[in-house]
Amino acid sequence: MLSDGGNMDKLESMQVYISVVDAHSFARAAEMLGLPRSTVSRVIKELEAWLGIQLLKRTTRKLSVTADGQRYYEECKRVLADIATMESSFPGRAAQPKGRFKVGMPQSFARHCILPGLPEFLHQYPELELMLCSSDSVEDIIQEGYDCVIRTGRIDDSTTLVARPLANFKWVILASPHYIDLYGRPESLADLKQHRAVGYLNHRTGRTTDWFFTLDGEDVALRMKETLIVDDTDAYIQAGVQGLGLVRIASYLAVPYLQSGALVSCMDNFSFDLPLSLVYPQNRYLPPSVRVFYDWCRGLLTSPERYP
């Protein structure tokens, strides 16, 4: 908790500013920091006066960040993370990670993979205030103030982001027993042309996703004939369970449906790897919270007991 009264030092002021941006509200930031709202407002005004720039645009309904404010926010995050990591590298300061920790990941991945094991992580690091948010885009990491995100698929090289591998799963093609009774089980790429699939809409591209396969060491994309298009993972899987078409999902999502017999695996000889990475902003020091979360996730996701 930050102290009230007198002038805050620069690092405390930076923490206040980060909290206001993250909360999109002076009142919510004040509540989280345990400070009067007037103190938070005064700190922001003093920062703007000191820097000679406008950090925030205030209206009666909305609080938004200016371009200068966004750049200052990113630098504040970097500076405070560097300090925290540097201090934690000394034996006398190697306390547990603490404070707010904002993580983004796809909803389906959080629901099926992370949330079941999260009590263990929070028990191990009780001083972390974890914010778990739904996020699918690499581009929003810095803009939305994430400490790190989990991403599926290949991550392009970046000068501002670091991607560390977590685990590898596979795409699997599934169908309901009813669908197979009606149309048979596909066994080859040629067979797929005679089948129908459930389409998954990618809002960023405005089109349904291609199906990728590795053939003779090269990636091959295939467009399927689609009878239904959805934009939600649970709806997509349920459409497959109802026999509306073939579906293609990550193997970690498929396990309970295969075990129950609600879905049957097809084309087992044709696979396509699905890498998972932890992505975070490039800093000189790796923040302790990111380090422990990476280590925990890697152990969780590579456990054969949980994800055979």
Side-chain angles (χ1 to χ4, degrees):
M1 181 183 295
L2 300 175
S3 59
D4 187 18
N7 290 326
M8 290 186 179
D9 66 31
K10 196 64 67 193
L11 295 179
E12 287 181 319
S13 297
M14 291 165 70
Q15 182 59 64
V16 170
Y17 177 64
I18 289 172
S19 298
V20 171
V21 175
D22 285 345
H24 303 288
S25 164
F26 283 90
R28 285 198 294 270
E31 182 179 351
M32 290 186 298
L33 294 169
L35 295 172
R37 187 187 186 286
S38 58
T39 300
V40 172
S41 181
R42 188 194 76 233
V43 168
I44 301 303
K45 288 180 180 178
E46 289 176 351
L47 274 176
E48 290 179 323
W50 173 262
L51 296 168
I53 58 174
Q54 184 180 10
L55 297 171
L56 302 169
K57 293 180 181 177
R58 309 161 183 83
T59 65
T60 54
R61 294 186 177 182
K62 188 178 179 182
L63 182 69
S64 58
V65 185
T66 66
D68 286 333
Q70 182 63 35
R71 196 178 77 176
Y72 185 66
Y73 169 82
E74 293 164 9
E75 289 300 315
C76 287
K77 291 272 289 187
R78 182 188 62 78
V79 168
L80 293 178
D82 282 356
I83 291 173
T85 309
M86 179 269 293
E87 289 181 339
S88 70
S89 67
F90 292 96
R93 295 290 296 172
Q96 286 195 330
K98 59 182 178 181
R100 172 171 290 188
F101 180 50
K102 187 175 181 181
V103 182
M105 65 188 69
Q107 277 187 353
S108 60
F109 182 79
R111 185 181 304 117
H112 292 275
C113 293
I114 296 299
L115 285 173
L118 204 55
E120 170 195 338
F121 177 76
L122 295 178
H123 177 74
Q124 192 173 353
Y125 303 103
E127 294 188 72
L128 275 180
E129 180 189 341
L130 180 62
M131 291 181 63
L132 187 60
C133 304
S134 173
S135 172
D136 291 300
S137 172
V138 171
E139 289 79 12
D140 61 10
I141 295 177
I142 294 176
Q143 182 178 352
E144 298 297 328
Y146 287 104
D147 292 289
C148 62
V149 297
I150 292 177
R151 290 290 174 265
T152 59
R154 296 179 176 88
I155 307 297
D156 294 332
D157 291 337
S158 169
T159 58
T160 59
L161 300 173
V162 176
R164 297 183 65 183
L166 281 171
N168 271 299
F169 294 98
K170 294 185 181 297
W171 288 114
V172 292
I173 297 175
L174 308 175
S176 72
H178 177 65
Y179 177 92
I180 291 176
D181 288 342
L182 291 176
Y183 304 104
R185 178 186 294 191
E187 299 291 351
S188 69
L189 295 183
D191 289 347
L192 283 181
K193 296 178 181 178
Q194 311 303 319
H195 283 264
R196 60 189 68 188
V198 181
Y200 191 91
L201 180 65
N202 184 328
H203 285 286
R204 291 201 300 276
T205 63
R207 65 197 295 266
T208 53
T209 55
D210 292 338
W211 285 19
F212 284 92
F213 301 89
T214 301
L215 196 63
D216 296 330
E218 294 190 4
D219 296 345
V220 177
L222 186 68
R223 296 293 295 172
M224 294 291 297
K225 181 190 299 182
E226 296 162 342
T227 56
L228 171 70
I229 296 174
V230 299
D231 65 352
D232 173 79
T233 301
D234 287 340
Y236 182 73
I237 295 174
Q238 284 306 311
V241 170
Q242 296 303 318
L244 296 176
L246 301 172
V247 293
R248 176 176 169 272
I249 62 176
S251 55
Y252 59 78
L253 296 177
V255 172
Y257 300 96
L258 291 171
Q259 290 175 341
S260 70
L263 291 170
V264 177
S265 178
C266 305
M267 298 185 62
D268 294 334
N269 293 329
F270 293 84
S271 64
F272 188 78
D273 285 343
L274 175 68
L276 289 169
S277 304
L278 188 78
V279 184
Y280 52 89
Q282 175 77 62
N283 291 313
R284 281 189 303 154
Y285 300 103
L286 181 65
S289 53
V290 175
R291 185 185 68 247
V292 298
F293 187 69
Y294 173 80
D295 291 341
W296 175 77
C297 282
R298 188 166 175 80
L300 178 75
L301 298 174
T302 55
S303 167
E305 293 80 11
R306 293 186 177 176
Y307 303 105

